[in-house]
Amino acid sequence: DVKVTQSSRYLVKRTGEKVFLECVQDMDHENMFWYRQDPGLGLRLIYFSYDVKMKEKGDIPEGYSVSREKKERFSLILESASTNQTSMYLCASSLASGGVYNEQFFGPGTRLTVL
Amino acid sequence: AQTVTQSQPEMSVQEAETVTLSCTYDTSESDYYLFWYKQPPSRQMILVIRQEAYKQQNATENRFSVNFQKAAKSFSLKISDSQLGDAAMYFCAYRSRVGGSEKLVFGKGMKLTVNP
């Protein structure tokens, strides 16, 4: 089974702190994604990566950055956390499509609270 | 840009009965994928069913089936013989096949309650 893990289920940080959210997948997937989930807004894509050291902005990249130094690990970074970044963060991974659909597999999520 | 709309934020169904979750989308593309994902309380999001736009036959997966109406841009999910374990948030999602896009566009989700 594909396994996508996230470093924390719950995280509480203070405004202005630098926050790292880690995601690891064990199935050698090329693609990795970070989403933000808010009630009434669904999932919104923050960033994704299709290869090591490669990244592309999603729909809401402002206030976030990412890092992918190894294929299995994709980090989301909040340079200076703000209260409006309080949310559930979901990581996902998938094989490269090559024109064929490949399912995205999701991690359990990290619920981040910024005080 | 593509959009996905789930107009019903919440629904409930009696155990063993059938429920239909609605989803509409907007796109100018002719080739794409559509999905239903399920997110149980405090558990990981999982794929329920997918539909490829070029296939006329509606997808089915055991108790789950879709009604795909391409011209109407409608993609509803039918859950038959509902079970308590079906209680979850359900998200409809769209993915383009143009240019090798990997991005999913999600609807806002719908909370399904199953009553015993």
Side-chain angles (χ1 to χ4, degrees), chain A:
Chain A
D1 284 350
V2 173
K3 197 167 185 181
V4 180
T5 57
Q6 296 183 227
S7 51
S8 305
R9 290 301 300 272
Y10 300 93
L11 205 54
V12 180
K13 295 292 182 181
R14 298 211 172 269
T15 302
E17 280 193 75
K18 190 169 186 176
V19 182
F20 292 86
L21 302 182
E22 305 284 341
C23 175
V24 177
Q25 50 92 6
D26 66 357
M27 284 301 291
D28 203 34
H29 285 174
E30 289 82 9
N31 301 322
M32 296 189 75
F33 308 81
W34 275 108
Y35 294 93
R36 173 175 171 160
Q37 182 179 4
D38 297 290
L41 295 178
L43 277 73
R44 294 177 291 168
L45 181 65
I46 305 172
Y47 267 98
F48 70 99
S49 169
Y50 51 90
D51 202 351
V52 175
K53 296 190 186 295
M54 306 303 286
K55 61 185 179 184
E56 283 198 26
K57 293 180 180 180
D59 300 317
I60 52 164
E62 296 79 17
Y64 304 94
S65 62
V66 290
S67 173
R68 192 165 181 203
E69 297 295 318
K70 294 184 178 182
K71 190 175 185 180
E72 68 271 18
R73 188 179 297 270
F74 191 35
S75 302
L76 180 68
I77 304 157
L78 288 66
E79 295 289 343
S80 178
S82 63
T83 55
N84 63 12
Q85 293 178 309
T86 292
S87 186
M88 172 71 86
Y89 291 88
L90 296 178
C91 176
S93 72
S94 71
L95 288 168
S97 63
V100 177
Y101 164 72
N102 284 303
E103 177 183 349
Q104 286 192 21
F105 293 86
F106 284 82
T110 296
R111 186 168 294 281
L112 173 67
T113 301
V114 182
L115 301 176

Side-chain angles (χ1 to χ4, degrees), chain A residues 31 37 40 97 99 101 106, chain B residues 33 35 39 44 95 97 108:
Chain A
N31 301 322
Q37 182 179 4
S97 63
Y101 164 72
F106 284 82
Chain B
Y33 296 103
F35 311 93
Q39 186 181 39
Q44 285 169 251
R95 182 186 146 196
R97 289 190 68 174
K108 294 182 179 180

Side-chain angles (χ1 to χ4, degrees), chain B:
Chain B
Q2 295 82 23
T3 59
V4 176
T5 302
Q6 294 178 252
S7 57
Q8 302 154 300
E10 291 192 44
M11 292 185 75
S12 63
V13 63
Q14 291 296 126
E15 199 175 1
E17 293 190 348
T18 295
V19 63
T20 299
L21 286 57
S22 64
C23 173
T24 59
Y25 59 94
D26 189 25
T27 184
S28 59
E29 298 171 343
S30 59
D31 198 10
Y32 47 86
Y33 296 103
L34 295 164
F35 311 93
W36 280 98
Y37 277 86
K38 170 185 177 182
Q39 186 181 39
S42 301
R43 294 181 61 188
Q44 285 169 251
M45 180 111 53
I46 57 172
L47 178 67
V48 175
I49 198 165
R50 76 170 191 244
Q51 176 78 40
E52 295 167 62
Y54 67 87
K55 289 187 177 179
Q56 293 187 347
Q57 187 173 7
N58 288 326
T60 62
E61 288 286 344
N62 301 312
R63 297 183 296 107
F64 298 87
S65 61
V66 299
N67 183 4
F68 173 49
Q69 303 284 334
K70 191 173 184 179
K73 295 179 183 175
S74 171
F75 182 60
S76 60
L77 175 70
K78 185 171 82 171
I79 305 174
S80 303
D81 186 25
S82 297
Q83 300 176 0
L84 295 177
D86 295 332
M89 286 291 295
Y90 285 83
F91 293 93
C92 180
Y94 171 102
R95 182 186 146 196
S96 172
R97 289 190 68 174
V98 173
S101 173
E102 307 282 359
K103 293 171 59 175
L104 286 175
V105 178
F106 285 88
K108 294 182 179 180
M110 193 225 66
K111 181 180 179 181
L112 178 67
T113 301
V114 180
N115 300 310

